[in-house]
């Protein structure tokens, strides 16, 4: 099966943007990653099992696009050209503290945390999306949560 | 609510403010499929436009690789060819005229292929992109320039800000970006499938 981009794009673009954010933390680059992901989706004639299969494909693709952008030679030296690409303003208080704590983590942990906490993917699904082994996902998840809790000084547990 | 559910809820609230700045229109993706033969993505095309201003005019460079880091190219300026040296920089290409020291820097050039993958633009592609420019004059007319030719394309734009024109086997796709008051341009020797091109006519 395949679903039209007119259906898939509005439904998933915000979630994919957040996933790209876990890697890039730059509004314009994340926007590019999402756009390229959907271009790829529209161009390929994939035969998906169901919508869940499409969802995982989209997350895997947007992360690959985000990694490509992060590696790209021009990213280091480019400047922001469009002032409309503003960084997010998290809510004040605990939400802001958590946002800042996650943002300070290495990207390897942020990706796994994002997929697990925000998208509700299982360890096996995260393994499928990221290409990591399930044990590696568990380790990163455990280590990421540990680092997060340290940074939050127990705020998340209260 | 379990501890894990609490953590997930807190996480979701913390990241609720991370929202896509410009929600993508599905029509934009569908159009891109038709026009991404070798498109200069608009964010980087904007950087290129800035570099073109430094050149003073649209120009085109034909590479004659000398085998070293520096390459001699012929650049069109105001309808006249001029020799410039081109060299790769970490983020693009630098064109300079050894005669008078004029320099143009093309940075951030990235080409997007048919499958959506990105790669660094080649010197030829950077030169080709340099050859093209779209601008609006004081009278409000919009012009497409390519090498020594230019056409008034004001009336070619549709409601979605797209214009498609052709001239002697060269097909141009232009998109207006109201957000940054700029344009992206791509050109190809083959027309995009399903796209109607209007003849540009005799250049000015």
């Amino acid at each position: 099966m395949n679903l039209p981009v007119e259906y898939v794009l509005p439904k998933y673009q915000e979630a994919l943007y957040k996933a790209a954010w876990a890697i890039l933390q730059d509004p314009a680059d994340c926007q590019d990653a999402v756009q390229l992901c959907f271009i790829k989706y529209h161009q390929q004639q994939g035969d998906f099992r169901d919508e869940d299969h499409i969802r995982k494909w989209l997350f895997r693709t947007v992360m690959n696009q985000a990694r490509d952008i992060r590696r790209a030679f021009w990213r280091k030296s480019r400047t922001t050209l469009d002032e409309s690409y503003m960084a997010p303003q998290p809510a004040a208080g605990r939400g802001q503290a958590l946002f800042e704590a996650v943002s300070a983590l290495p990207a390897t942990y942020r990706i796994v945390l994002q997929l697990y906490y925000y998208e509700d993917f299982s360890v096996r699904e995260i393994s499928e999306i990221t290409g990591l082994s399930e044990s590696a996902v568990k380790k990163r998840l455990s280590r990421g949560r540990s680092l997060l809790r340290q940074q939050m000084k127990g705020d998340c547990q209260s | 609510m379990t501890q894990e559910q609490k953590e997930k809820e807190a996480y979701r609230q913390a990241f609720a403010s991370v929202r896509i700045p410009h929600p993508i229109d599905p029509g934009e993706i569908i159009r891109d499929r038709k026009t991404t033969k070798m498109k200069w993505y608009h964010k980087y095309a904007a950087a290129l436009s800035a570099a073109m201003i430094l050149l003073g005019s649209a120009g085109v460079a034909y590479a004659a690789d000398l085998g070293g880091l520096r390459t001699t190219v012929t650049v069109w300026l105001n309808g006249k060819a001029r020799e410039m040296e081109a060299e790769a920089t970490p983020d693009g290409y630098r064109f300079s005229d050894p005669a008078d020291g004029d320099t143009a820097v093309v940075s951030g050039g990235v080409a997007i292929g048919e499958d959506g993958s990105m790669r660094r633009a080649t010197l030829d592609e950077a030169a080709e992109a340099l050859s093209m420019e779209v601008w609006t004059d004081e009278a409000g007319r919009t012009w497409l320039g390519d090498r020594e030719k230019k056409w008034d394309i004001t009336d070619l734009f549709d409601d979605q800000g797209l214009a498609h024109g052709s001239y002697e086997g060269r097909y141009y796709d232009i998109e207006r970006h109201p957000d940054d008051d700029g344009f992206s341009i791509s050109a190809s020797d083959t027309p995009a499938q399903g796209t109607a091109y209007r003849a540009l006519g005799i250049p000015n």
Side-chain angles (χ1 to χ4, degrees):
Chain A
M1 68 164 286
N2 213 336
L3 292 171
V5 71
E6 293 93 332
Y7 168 84
V8 173
L9 196 155
K11 189 170 182 180
Y12 293 109
Q13 65 174 332
E14 287 290 354
L16 294 171
Y17 181 84
K18 287 179 170 70
W21 183 267
I23 296 174
L24 295 165
Q25 297 190 313
D26 177 273
D29 284 342
C30 293
Q31 174 104 21
D32 287 351
V34 175
Q35 182 145 354
L36 290 168
C37 172
F38 281 113
I39 288 173
K40 211 161 191 169
Y41 176 80
H42 188 55
Q43 286 177 333
Q44 58 87 40
Q45 301 295 321
D47 186 18
F48 298 101
R49 288 188 302 275
D50 49 31
E51 186 170 343
D52 192 49
H53 190 194
I54 291 174
R55 181 173 175 241
K56 287 176 192 165
W57 184 93
L58 288 170
F59 275 94
R60 186 165 62 246
T61 303
V62 80
M63 290 190 161
N64 286 337
Q65 296 292 347
R67 289 192 190 99
D68 285 349
I69 289 172
R70 188 176 60 179
R71 281 195 294 264
F73 70 98
W74 35 260
R75 187 167 188 253
K76 292 173 187 168
S77 55
R78 82 168 166 70
T79 54
T80 300
L81 297 163
D82 186 346
E83 291 180 355
S84 64
Y85 288 96
M86 299 296 287
Q89 300 295 320
R94 187 172 170 231
Q96 183 174 4
L98 179 58
F99 180 86
E100 288 173 357
V102 173
S103 300
L105 292 177
T108 50
Y109 300 120
R110 290 200 306 264
I111 295 162
V112 175
L113 288 171
Q114 178 69 26
L115 294 176
Y116 184 79
Y117 278 125
Y118 206 95
E119 297 302 332
D120 237 352
F121 281 117
S122 68
V123 168
R124 173 175 288 185
E125 288 172 323
I126 296 170
S127 165
E128 291 172 15
I129 291 167
T130 59
L132 296 166
S133 68
E134 287 188 40
S135 66
V137 172
K138 286 177 184 171
K139 281 178 188 169
R140 290 190 186 189
L141 195 53
S142 172
R143 179 72 178 142
R145 290 159 101 173
S146 173
L147 288 169
L148 201 54
R149 284 175 177 151
Q150 283 174 26
Q151 291 197 41
M152 292 292 291
K153 297 178 180 174
D155 279 359
C156 281
Q157 298 171 36
S158 60
Chain B
M1 189 181 276
T2 65
Q3 180 62 35
E4 191 164 294
Q5 286 171 328
K6 285 181 185 173
E7 288 180 0
K8 285 188 176 181
E9 185 57 32
Y11 192 99
R12 285 180 182 140
Q13 286 178 9
F15 281 80
S17 66
V18 179
R19 301 188 65 83
I20 192 162
H22 304 294
I24 301 163
D25 173 15
E28 192 179 338
I29 298 298
I30 293 165
R31 286 197 302 275
D32 269 350
R33 184 180 187 184
K34 298 176 183 171
T35 59
T36 51
K37 282 187 178 59
M38 193 53 69
K39 182 173 180 176
W40 290 74
Y41 203 42
H42 72 264
K43 187 169 64 164
Y44 308 104
L48 192 60
S49 297
M52 289 168 70
I53 291 167
L54 294 178
L55 260 179
S57 168
V60 66
Y62 294 104
D65 193 343
L66 301 179
L69 292 175
R70 195 163 282 211
T71 300
T72 298
V73 296
T74 302
V75 177
W76 287 86
L77 286 174
N78 298 323
K80 293 179 181 175
R82 93 192 240 188
E83 297 295 310
M84 294 189 87
E85 289 183 346
E87 61 179 323
T89 64
D91 65 339
Y93 298 92
R94 179 192 304 277
F95 297 87
S96 58
D97 187 336
D100 59 16
D102 279 357
T103 300
V105 177
V106 180
S107 60
V110 59
I112 300 176
E114 288 272 18
D115 63 354
S117 60
M118 289 191 297
R119 61 170 174 76
R120 176 179 174 144
T122 66
L123 176 57
D124 284 341
E125 287 162 355
E128 182 175 303
L130 264 180
S131 78
M132 298 183 291
E133 186 179 15
V134 175
W135 72 96
T136 302
D137 66 18
E138 291 177 351
R141 308 298 295 179
T142 301
W143 295 83
L144 164 66
D146 189 355
R147 303 165 201 181
E148 77 279 25
K149 306 179 194 73
K150 65 175 183 177
W151 298 270
D152 185 338
I153 58 169
T154 311
D155 301 328
L156 258 61
F157 286 91
D158 63 18
D159 294 343
Q160 296 173 318
L162 295 170
H164 306 284
S166 66
Y167 178 76
E168 293 187 347
R170 192 162 166 84
Y171 297 86
Y172 299 91
D173 299 290
I174 302 112
E175 182 173 0
R176 191 195 305 273
H177 296 286
D179 287 349
D180 56 11
D181 202 25
F183 299 89
S184 63
I185 320 162
S186 63
S188 173
D189 293 337
T190 54
Q193 198 173 3
T195 300
Y197 290 85
R198 283 171 60 181
L200 291 171
I202 299 169
N204 284 280

